[in-house]
Amino acid sequence: MVKVPLPENQEEVLITNLPTETFDCQQIAELYHMRWGIETAYETLKYRLQIENFTGTKPILLLQDIYSTIYISNLAEDIIRAAEAELDEKEKHRKHKMMINRTVSIGILKNDLIYILLERDARKQDKLFQQIYEDISQNLVPIKPDRHYHRTKGQLAGKYSNTHKRAY
């Protein structure tokens, strides 16, 4: 266990199996910070995409569910990154920097991707994909800097809290 000092005289306790002879507290805190994006990706897969909510019991159905969920996750992330890059170029007049709402984007993609996959005409597929892209681009939330709230210890809202809504 490693105690990492936080602002306002607080401490964070990290549990690690890294040897203390090789890494000091600050290095472990930096590694933890670098890993945060991976942790949020797992959170998206587990809670918003519900990767563990299988539609069948046979191994082929389980693999199909896992692969399709990861495909949706990767496709959503690609679309979101492209839309945010375009947004950064266009939206300089806003008070706060904006970002795409990931949960709504995943929901749009999960609902509408099937129509693209079933469509035979390439032009219609492009048109449908462009519509999905535009729908995702319109769901913005502000990034408000330096927002810190007092955290209360313990379980606040349980498994189905507002911050972990399903994406469909």
Side-chain angles (χ1 to χ4, degrees):
M1 295 175 70
V2 177
K3 287 185 179 180
V4 179
L6 295 175
E8 301 176 14
N9 295 328
Q10 293 182 341
E11 289 183 332
E12 181 175 38
V13 178
L14 303 175
I15 299 174
T16 181
N17 60 355
L18 297 173
T20 54
E21 304 84 40
T22 310
F23 299 98
D24 64 16
C25 292
Q26 190 59 36
Q27 289 174 319
I28 290 174
E30 288 174 23
L31 290 171
Y32 177 78
H33 179 71
M34 291 168 64
R35 185 168 164 73
W36 190 249
I38 296 168
E39 294 296 330
T40 56
Y42 280 124
E43 177 189 53
T44 299
L45 284 171
K46 284 184 76 175
Y47 296 107
R48 288 173 180 84
L49 289 167
Q50 295 189 348
I51 195 166
E52 297 169 333
N53 187 5
F54 299 115
T55 58
T57 56
K58 293 185 178 182
I60 189 75
L61 297 175
L62 300 178
L63 287 173
Q64 176 181 308
D65 284 345
I66 291 169
Y67 292 147
S68 63
T69 302
I70 291 173
Y71 178 74
I72 289 283
S73 174
N74 289 338
L75 184 59
E77 193 61 33
D78 284 347
I79 292 171
I80 290 168
R81 286 184 186 214
E84 284 180 344
E86 187 178 304
L87 182 68
D88 287 344
E89 293 175 14
K90 286 197 270 186
E91 304 290 329
K92 299 205 184 273
H93 66 280
R94 293 186 189 264
K95 180 179 177 182
H96 296 290
K97 185 177 180 193
M98 303 297 274
M99 67 183 234
I100 305 294
N101 185 321
R102 280 178 161 63
T103 303
V104 172
S105 301
I106 290 168
I108 290 168
L109 198 56
K110 285 178 81 172
N111 288 335
D112 297 343
L113 183 63
I114 190 70
Y115 299 116
I116 294 174
L117 297 174
L118 293 175
E119 183 59 54
R120 300 262 184 231
D121 184 12
R123 263 193 222 140
K124 288 182 181 177
Q125 280 181 331
D126 289 343
K127 197 180 259 189
L128 289 170
F129 185 79
Q130 188 60 35
Q131 184 61 48
I132 288 175
Y133 182 84
E134 288 172 12
D135 290 347
I136 287 173
S137 297
Q138 292 172 0
N139 288 289
L140 304 175
V141 291
I143 302 172
K144 296 183 180 178
D146 299 324
R147 292 184 75 183
H148 300 286
Y149 298 103
H150 176 71
R151 293 184 180 188
T152 56
K153 293 191 178 200
Q155 189 173 4
L156 295 177
K159 186 175 179 182
Y160 302 106
S161 71
N162 281 336
T163 58
H164 298 291
K165 291 273 187 206
R166 292 187 302 198
Y168 58 92

